[in-house]
Amino acid sequence: MGISADLHAIGRPMLDAQLAHPTVRGIAAGDLPETVFRSWLEQDYLFLLDYVRVFSRLAWQAPDAHLGDLVDLAYATWHDELDLHRSLAAGFGADLDGAVKGPACAAYTSFLLESAANYGEGLAALYPCMWGYSTLGKILAADPPAEPRYRAWVDTYADPGFAALAARIGTMIDEAAPEPARARELFVRGMEHELAFWDVP
């Protein structure tokens, strides 16, 4: 079993905790209060800006075979995910340009940017976001919310193209072969940050 498969096994109970979180349940049902989603949207926008920087830092260290993968991931984050946030912002009254990082966002982005100083470890640290959102999207898409704005969010992360990007990260972790105990530690910390992120300020 490769490192990524080991991380999936470790992460699934922690993913179930996200599925049980009131914010995720509200998105799934399509009845999350708009004020809550607006706050989450602003925080996630700021998170994704730094996520692009994480991919860029890892790309500098990547073997030639995976340089394009990380460029693709940065591109998809910048154009697909951030465009989704921009398209949703007006409907929720979100102020993306004026938003300020809350404690959960600041802690998570600092963790990822620091972890990205090491190629293999950085991949393990960011994997909870890619793998987690892809898995959440797939699960929520089985019974999607009728509310069109929340449906658009689910559809983005349930898209097979996003799943393919997440799978690329898993392959890259296996090939980079970070020290397994360290990879597990960073992955678990990332999953903990993911759960904390749903507690929007």
Side-chain angles (χ1 to χ4, degrees):
M1 183 169 66
I3 294 174
S4 64
D6 185 30
L7 300 181
H8 297 167
I10 293 169
R12 185 52 207 246
M14 303 179 80
L15 189 74
D16 289 340
Q18 291 187 53
L19 286 166
H21 192 283
T23 302
V24 178
R25 291 205 318 268
I27 292 172
D31 60 4
L32 184 70
E34 290 195 5
T35 54
V36 176
F37 192 77
R38 178 172 65 242
S39 180
W40 179 89
L41 191 68
E42 292 172 348
Q43 292 301 300
D44 201 52
Y45 182 82
L46 297 175
F47 170 84
L48 289 173
L49 291 176
D50 277 347
Y51 207 47
V52 173
R53 295 181 173 98
V54 170
F55 285 132
S56 300
R57 189 172 193 189
L58 292 172
W60 182 256
Q61 306 169 64
D64 292 348
H66 289 305
L67 175 59
D69 291 315
L70 286 158
V71 171
D72 287 348
L73 286 157
Y75 183 94
T77 303
W78 182 264
H79 289 281
D80 298 337
E81 290 191 76
L82 285 170
D83 278 355
L84 170 71
H85 287 56
R86 295 181 188 107
S87 70
L88 291 173
F92 285 96
D95 180 11
L96 301 182
D97 293 330
V100 177
K101 286 181 183 178
C105 182
Y108 196 2
T109 54
S110 294
F111 162 71
L112 290 176
L113 288 163
E114 290 169 8
S115 298
N118 178 287
Y119 177 69
E121 293 183 1
L123 292 172
L126 69 81
Y127 197 42
C129 187
M130 294 295 300
W131 172 77
Y133 271 52
S134 176
T135 307
L136 283 174
K138 186 183 303 182
I139 292 170
L140 297 182
D143 184 19
E147 209 285 341
R149 296 172 299 176
Y150 294 133
R151 175 65 180 264
W153 187 92
V154 170
D155 287 347
T156 295
Y157 295 108
D159 188 275
F162 188 81
L165 291 173
R168 282 199 227 176
I169 292 289
T171 299
M172 291 160 66
I173 292 170
D174 291 340
E175 293 181 5
E179 198 279 316
R182 179 64 173 159
R184 288 192 290 269
E185 175 194 349
L186 290 167
F187 180 81
V188 168
R189 287 177 61 192
M191 289 297 292
E192 290 170 346
H193 280 294
E194 284 289 319
L195 182 59
F197 203 91
W198 293 113
D199 294 326
V200 292

